[in-house]
Amino acid sequence: MTDDIKIKDKEYVLGTYGRYDLHIVRGKGAVCEDERGKKYIDLGSGIGVNSLGYCDPGWVKAVEKQLESLQHTSNLYYTAPDALLAEELCTRTGYEKVFFCNSGAEANEAAIKTARKYSFDKYGRGRDKIITLNKSFHGRTMATLTATAQEAMHNYFFPFNEGFVYCEKDMEEIKGKEGVCAVMLEFIQGEGGVIPQDGEFVRQVALHCAQNDILFIADEVQTGVGRTGKFLCSEHYGVKPDITTLAKGLGGGLPIGAMLVGDKCKDTMGAGTHGSTFGGNPVVCAGARYVLSRMDGEFLSEVERKGALVKKLLSGAEGVKSVNGLGLMLGIELDGKSATDVVKECIAQGVIPLTAKDRVRLLPPLIITDGELEKAIGVLKKVIAE
Ligand SMILES: *Cc1c(COP(=O)(O)O)cnc(C)c1O
């Protein structure tokens, strides 16, 4: 290893990440550059974060403009960007109120607390369990790690939190659980391999929740904000969860999480029940407002069209068993090859995909061009077939 940065990283940064051999220095649109000036087409957007690609000029301008007037105050005072962003999110989605924080896990923590308090306020103690689905992913904090229903991840950090129960995608099993205050699910399990839920199952969950005053929480941290070709993935399923969480793509590259709550929970969390020092940061919210301003109907239908283009380009490709997902959130099931090996070889050839379990996962920036997609998928196909 000759790159000084890689050496320093290995020496000083806590070793929680197995990094690929790639040092990214700058980017523009869907293309980034390493320290030697080699260019890469990015099919991962920093795990679905850079929704407008690298350094979109309008986004940079919005962020810079806010930086020049106010970078932070605190939630003790009023500021415009978070109030306006909350209004815009509610107007777009039909939700009533928003809580801002800094990450997906933190948004899910807020949802867990809201669900527990909603139930406590109405029914008292003991009705506190949250159902999550096997293969889900909800974050890395203690509560959201416990919510993540993957046995392999429930190790080392004992004791795990109480009050989470795991179910298969099976209505009878879900209906059989007692003391439940909420069901939390991803419409497409992202980290779990890009596995979309069955539409009828989701509608049954929504119905069961509504009939029993159980809160339906949608973790749209990965699927939200245009990723699947609708602003929220719930629109594909025709359901309106009581709570939706967002993060990744919302900030366009700056850390933000949001919990959207509907009518049922709009007054559940009063002053002092929850908070976040950085939550609703003006600079981050200014960036997120710009992201939203770009996501009109045409932008979203382009996401859908590009997703269909990727599926078409991959259909019948050698070594590809199936392609799952919606819009620009796609998972490729391979016929025998290791997804990690495919990603490593793609990076060597100037294309950056992701993995999810044993699949290759694609979350390209939503602004990627057809030409970039054709070129990148061409490389990916060649690597998979080799
Ligand atoms: C990434 C992700 C999270 C965790 O988000 P962080 O910002 O890493 O805390 C939670 N849920 C889903 C569905 C995710 O994809």
PDB file of all heavy atoms in Angstrom, residues 34-48:
ATOM      1  N   ASP A  34     -10.630   8.824  -8.047  1.00  0.00           N
ATOM      2  CA  ASP A  34      -9.758   8.426  -6.939  1.00  0.00           C
ATOM      3  C   ASP A  34      -8.534   9.344  -6.870  1.00  0.00           C
ATOM      4  O   ASP A  34      -8.445  10.327  -7.609  1.00  0.00           O
ATOM      5  CB  ASP A  34      -9.388   6.935  -7.031  1.00  0.00           C
ATOM      6  CG  ASP A  34      -8.440   6.620  -8.178  1.00  0.00           C
ATOM      7  OD1 ASP A  34      -7.906   7.559  -8.800  1.00  0.00           O
ATOM      8  OD2 ASP A  34      -8.242   5.419  -8.458  1.00  0.00           O
ATOM      9  N   GLU A  35      -7.588   9.024  -5.976  1.00  0.00           N
ATOM     10  CA  GLU A  35      -6.466   9.934  -5.717  1.00  0.00           C
ATOM     11  C   GLU A  35      -5.510  10.032  -6.902  1.00  0.00           C
ATOM     12  O   GLU A  35      -4.709  10.955  -6.980  1.00  0.00           O
ATOM     13  CB  GLU A  35      -5.725   9.519  -4.426  1.00  0.00           C
ATOM     14  CG  GLU A  35      -4.754   8.336  -4.540  1.00  0.00           C
ATOM     15  CD  GLU A  35      -5.426   6.972  -4.673  1.00  0.00           C
ATOM     16  OE1 GLU A  35      -6.669   6.892  -4.744  1.00  0.00           O
ATOM     17  OE2 GLU A  35      -4.687   5.960  -4.713  1.00  0.00           O
ATOM     18  N   ARG A  36      -5.623   9.079  -7.837  1.00  0.00           N
ATOM     19  CA  ARG A  36      -4.779   9.165  -9.030  1.00  0.00           C
ATOM     20  C   ARG A  36      -5.506   9.772 -10.229  1.00  0.00           C
ATOM     21  O   ARG A  36      -4.988   9.790 -11.333  1.00  0.00           O
ATOM     22  CB  ARG A  36      -4.264   7.763  -9.398  1.00  0.00           C
ATOM     23  CG  ARG A  36      -3.315   7.153  -8.368  1.00  0.00           C
ATOM     24  CD  ARG A  36      -3.222   5.643  -8.562  1.00  0.00           C
ATOM     25  NE  ARG A  36      -4.566   5.034  -8.474  1.00  0.00           N
ATOM     26  CZ  ARG A  36      -4.835   3.777  -8.746  1.00  0.00           C
ATOM     27  NH1 ARG A  36      -3.887   2.958  -9.166  1.00  0.00           N
ATOM     28  NH2 ARG A  36      -6.062   3.315  -8.630  1.00  0.00           N
ATOM     29  N   GLY A  37      -6.748  10.190 -10.000  1.00  0.00           N
ATOM     30  CA  GLY A  37      -7.512  10.805 -11.095  1.00  0.00           C
ATOM     31  C   GLY A  37      -8.284   9.796 -11.932  1.00  0.00           C
ATOM     32  O   GLY A  37      -8.906  10.157 -12.926  1.00  0.00           O
ATOM     33  N   LYS A  38      -8.265   8.525 -11.521  1.00  0.00           N
ATOM     34  CA  LYS A  38      -9.047   7.520 -12.244  1.00  0.00           C
ATOM     35  C   LYS A  38     -10.534   7.717 -11.967  1.00  0.00           C
ATOM     36  O   LYS A  38     -10.920   7.987 -10.829  1.00  0.00           O
ATOM     37  CB  LYS A  38      -8.615   6.108 -11.813  1.00  0.00           C
ATOM     38  CG  LYS A  38      -9.345   5.001 -12.548  1.00  0.00           C
ATOM     39  CD  LYS A  38      -8.886   3.615 -12.132  1.00  0.00           C
ATOM     40  CE  LYS A  38      -9.897   2.584 -12.631  1.00  0.00           C
ATOM     41  NZ  LYS A  38      -9.635   1.240 -12.129  1.00  0.00           N
ATOM     42  N   LYS A  39     -11.365   7.605 -13.006  1.00  0.00           N
ATOM     43  CA  LYS A  39     -12.796   7.882 -12.860  1.00  0.00           C
ATOM     44  C   LYS A  39     -13.616   6.604 -12.697  1.00  0.00           C
ATOM     45  O   LYS A  39     -13.271   5.560 -13.251  1.00  0.00           O
ATOM     46  CB  LYS A  39     -13.298   8.654 -14.082  1.00  0.00           C
ATOM     47  CG  LYS A  39     -12.770  10.085 -14.139  1.00  0.00           C
ATOM     48  CD  LYS A  39     -13.490  10.861 -15.239  1.00  0.00           C
ATOM     49  CE  LYS A  39     -13.408  12.355 -15.026  1.00  0.00           C
ATOM     50  NZ  LYS A  39     -12.036  12.905 -15.099  1.00  0.00           N
ATOM     51  N   TYR A  40     -14.697   6.733 -11.946  1.00  0.00           N
ATOM     52  CA  TYR A  40     -15.585   5.599 -11.671  1.00  0.00           C
ATOM     53  C   TYR A  40     -17.029   6.037 -11.851  1.00  0.00           C
ATOM     54  O   TYR A  40     -17.400   7.126 -11.407  1.00  0.00           O
ATOM     55  CB  TYR A  40     -15.431   5.140 -10.221  1.00  0.00           C
ATOM     56  CG  TYR A  40     -14.034   4.705  -9.842  1.00  0.00           C
ATOM     57  CD1 TYR A  40     -13.054   5.643  -9.533  1.00  0.00           C
ATOM     58  CD2 TYR A  40     -13.706   3.350  -9.779  1.00  0.00           C
ATOM     59  CE1 TYR A  40     -11.773   5.249  -9.179  1.00  0.00           C
ATOM     60  CE2 TYR A  40     -12.431   2.947  -9.427  1.00  0.00           C
ATOM     61  CZ  TYR A  40     -11.465   3.903  -9.126  1.00  0.00           C
ATOM     62  OH  TYR A  40     -10.209   3.510  -8.779  1.00  0.00           O
ATOM     63  N   ILE A  41     -17.852   5.193 -12.461  1.00  0.00           N
ATOM     64  CA  ILE A  41     -19.300   5.443 -12.464  1.00  0.00           C
ATOM     65  C   ILE A  41     -19.868   4.839 -11.186  1.00  0.00           C
ATOM     66  O   ILE A  41     -19.668   3.657 -10.887  1.00  0.00           O
ATOM     67  CB  ILE A  41     -19.988   4.821 -13.697  1.00  0.00           C
ATOM     68  CG1 ILE A  41     -19.368   5.382 -14.989  1.00  0.00           C
ATOM     69  CG2 ILE A  41     -21.492   5.113 -13.663  1.00  0.00           C
ATOM     70  CD1 ILE A  41     -19.931   4.748 -16.260  1.00  0.00           C
ATOM     71  N   ASP A  42     -20.576   5.664 -10.431  1.00  0.00           N
ATOM     72  CA  ASP A  42     -21.037   5.266  -9.105  1.00  0.00           C
ATOM     73  C   ASP A  42     -22.447   4.673  -9.177  1.00  0.00           C
ATOM     74  O   ASP A  42     -23.408   5.367  -9.518  1.00  0.00           O
ATOM     75  CB  ASP A  42     -21.029   6.502  -8.197  1.00  0.00           C
ATOM     76  CG  ASP A  42     -21.362   6.160  -6.759  1.00  0.00           C
ATOM     77  OD1 ASP A  42     -21.606   4.972  -6.466  1.00  0.00           O
ATOM     78  OD2 ASP A  42     -21.384   7.082  -5.931  1.00  0.00           O
ATOM     79  N   LEU A  43     -22.570   3.402  -8.842  1.00  0.00           N
ATOM     80  CA  LEU A  43     -23.893   2.762  -8.804  1.00  0.00           C
ATOM     81  C   LEU A  43     -24.362   2.565  -7.362  1.00  0.00           C
ATOM     82  O   LEU A  43     -25.250   1.755  -7.099  1.00  0.00           O
ATOM     83  CB  LEU A  43     -23.853   1.408  -9.527  1.00  0.00           C
ATOM     84  CG  LEU A  43     -23.501   1.428 -11.024  1.00  0.00           C
ATOM     85  CD1 LEU A  43     -23.511   0.019 -11.602  1.00  0.00           C
ATOM     86  CD2 LEU A  43     -24.475   2.310 -11.804  1.00  0.00           C
ATOM     87  N   GLY A  44     -23.753   3.306  -6.434  1.00  0.00           N
ATOM     88  CA  GLY A  44     -24.108   3.116  -5.023  1.00  0.00           C
ATOM     89  C   GLY A  44     -24.529   4.387  -4.299  1.00  0.00           C
ATOM     90  O   GLY A  44     -25.159   4.322  -3.250  1.00  0.00           O
ATOM     91  N   SER A  45     -24.166   5.540  -4.825  1.00  0.00           N
ATOM     92  CA  SER A  45     -24.479   6.850  -4.207  1.00  0.00           C
ATOM     93  C   SER A  45     -24.150   6.932  -2.722  1.00  0.00           C
ATOM     94  O   SER A  45     -24.904   7.557  -1.968  1.00  0.00           O
ATOM     95  CB  SER A  45     -25.948   7.256  -4.318  1.00  0.00           C
ATOM     96  OG  SER A  45     -26.632   6.675  -5.336  1.00  0.00           O
ATOM     97  N   GLY A  46     -23.059   6.300  -2.309  1.00  0.00           N
ATOM     98  CA  GLY A  46     -22.756   6.340  -0.872  1.00  0.00           C
ATOM     99  C   GLY A  46     -23.882   5.705  -0.073  1.00  0.00           C
ATOM    100  O   GLY A  46     -24.327   6.238   0.941  1.00  0.00           O
ATOM    101  N   ILE A  47     -24.354   4.543  -0.560  1.00  0.00           N
ATOM    102  CA  ILE A  47     -25.491   3.785  -0.011  1.00  0.00           C
ATOM    103  C   ILE A  47     -26.777   4.622  -0.037  1.00  0.00           C
ATOM    104  O   ILE A  47     -27.417   4.882   0.982  1.00  0.00           O
ATOM    105  CB  ILE A  47     -25.195   3.208   1.392  1.00  0.00           C
ATOM    106  CG1 ILE A  47     -23.764   2.672   1.457  1.00  0.00           C
ATOM    107  CG2 ILE A  47     -26.218   2.103   1.713  1.00  0.00           C
ATOM    108  CD1 ILE A  47     -23.438   1.826   2.659  1.00  0.00           C
ATOM    109  N   GLY A  48     -27.126   5.025  -1.243  1.00  0.00           N
ATOM    110  CA  GLY A  48     -28.421   5.681  -1.451  1.00  0.00           C
ATOM    111  C   GLY A  48     -28.529   7.074  -0.863  1.00  0.00           C
ATOM    112  O   GLY A  48     -29.635   7.562  -0.634  1.00  0.00           O
TER     113      GLY A  48
END
